[in-house]
């Protein structure tokens, strides 16, 4: 089964670290789980219409950075009971920072940040060119507008997210729509990048980051999923 690349991860690049107020749902995490079995109609991800967004900031929400990452491949499966399986792959070579998030007064360009995120200090794209996401479970969302930034969230999606070769099962609310030969998934959640060993710079034998600058970066990473998939005829 293909892997749902959720580059979901862009650590230094994906986070909520907050700009005041709740802007994303808090994801829950656990160990890697068994991947869900496909049942029903298959939908191929539309790579042109789908995108992963990321946001990260320094501690306290200072100097937030945000941008996008493109999908490389993906598919979803649904039956009469709704979405039940799927996966997608995110191409980490496409991680891009929005120029608006990099202040000119810092003497930096967004392309400098792009390169920084891709090197061994963060995602080490040469060694780990993709991030994957594989659905392990989809349940009805029992929450309401008060406990999700998505007022119309109707599903609780769990999936194995693999970043830097480390797999963590992550659960978050989502809006899943299946209509007229098209399936869409919309979600925005925050996770702890340290769960995937995503740290700035090298680490010591215990896995702790050696670079002092690591302490100034929020461990919260915000990931947005905007997935569009079309029925396979």
């Amino acid at each position: 089964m293909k892997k749902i690349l959720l580059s979901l991860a862009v650590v230094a690049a994906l986070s909520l670290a907050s700009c005041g107020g709740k802007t994303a749902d808090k994801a829950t995490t656990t160990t890697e789980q068994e991947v869900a079995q496909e049942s029903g109609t298959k939908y191929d991800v539309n790579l042109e219409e789908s995108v992963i967004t990321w946001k990260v900031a320094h501690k306290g929400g200072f100097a937030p950075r945000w941008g996008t990452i493109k999908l490389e491949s993906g598919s979803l499966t649904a039956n009469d009971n709704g979405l039940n399986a799927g996966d997608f792959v995110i191409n980490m070579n496409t991680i891009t920072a929005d120029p608006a998030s990099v202040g000119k007064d810092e003497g930096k360009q967004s392309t400098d940040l792009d390169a920084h995120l891709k090197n061994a200090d963060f995602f080490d794209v040469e060694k780990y060119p993709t991030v994957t996401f594989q659905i392990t479970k989809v349940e009805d969302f029992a929450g309401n507008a008060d406990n999700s930034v998505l007022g119309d969230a109707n599903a609780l999606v769990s999936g194995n997210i693999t970043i830097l070769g480390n797999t963590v099962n992550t659960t978050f609310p989502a809006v899943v729509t299946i209509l007229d030969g098209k399936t869409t998934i919309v979600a925005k959640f925050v996770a702890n990048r340290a769960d995937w060993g995503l740290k700035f710079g090298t680490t010591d034998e215990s896995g702790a980051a050696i670079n002092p600058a690591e302490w100034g970066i929020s461990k919260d990473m915000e990931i947005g999923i905007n997935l569009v998939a079309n029925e396979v005829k």
Side-chain angles (χ1 to χ4, degrees), residues 1-10 32 35 52 69-74 86-92 123 128-136 158-170 172 189 196 223 225:
M1 192 172 175
K2 306 169 197 166
K3 295 182 177 181
I4 257 187
L5 254 190
L6 257 143
S7 164
L8 297 172
V10 199
E32 182 176 1
V35 175
I52 299 298
I69 308 171
K70 295 181 179 179
L71 292 167
E72 181 175 295
S73 63
D87 56 60
F88 54 91
V89 175
I90 293 173
N91 183 348
M92 293 308 294
F123 292 102
Y128 303 101
T130 62
V131 167
T132 63
F133 179 84
Q134 297 174 288
I135 292 177
T136 57
S158 298
N160 292 329
I161 297 176
T162 301
I163 299 171
L164 297 179
N166 300 315
T167 302
V168 177
N169 191 261
T170 307
F172 51 86
F189 63 90
W196 286 270
I223 299 171
I225 298 175

